[in-house]
Amino acid sequence: RTPDGEARAWCYTTDFDSRWEYCDVPACIESFSEPTPSLPSAECLSSDPDMCGCEEVLQADYRGTVAVTETGKVCQPWASQWPHSHTRTPENYPEFGLEV
């Protein structure tokens, strides 16, 4: 997930020595709609939130099940405060799908 504007999906890890890392979330194949008066910015037409994240929204649309980092570390659940305490919880960021 990307609750705070990082470059792409990331998670806290369950590794005491590595607080957070980027996740290995596939990027959606990018195709864009043209901006219109009702949609002033381009939209990722290939968005499939269960399978991939669109780069133009920093993969904030991703809602799939990847729970490991690019280096293979297991992600800490967002609702958990162990082993790393943090404020990026489902309650604080309800629109980002952190309940998974």
Side-chain angles (χ1 to χ4, degrees):
R1 307 290 189 258
T2 313
D4 58 1
E6 270 299 322
R8 53 198 167 94
W10 65 276
C11 70
Y12 293 105
T13 76
T14 56
D15 183 327
F16 286 98
D17 297 323
S18 179
R19 182 168 172 80
W20 71 274
E21 290 186 9
Y22 289 113
C23 295
D24 194 17
V25 171
C28 296
I29 297 169
E30 306 221 3
S31 60
F32 302 94
S33 64
E34 292 296 320
T36 65
S38 62
L39 184 66
S41 61
E43 179 182 355
C44 178
L45 297 176
S46 62
S47 178
D48 183 354
D50 291 330
M51 300 299 293
C52 60
C54 289
E55 291 179 355
E56 69 273 7
V57 294
L58 308 175
Q59 295 185 321
D61 58 330
Y62 178 70
R63 296 295 183 270
T65 60
V66 171
V68 294
T69 68
E70 291 177 326
T71 65
K73 292 181 175 73
V74 175
C75 290
Q76 171 181 315
W78 291 100
S80 176
Q81 294 295 314
W82 185 88
H84 305 289
S85 61
H86 60 90
T87 60
R88 288 160 184 89
T89 63
E91 296 78 24
N92 290 344
Y93 293 82
E95 67 276 16
F96 288 96
L98 303 182
E99 63 280 346
V100 174

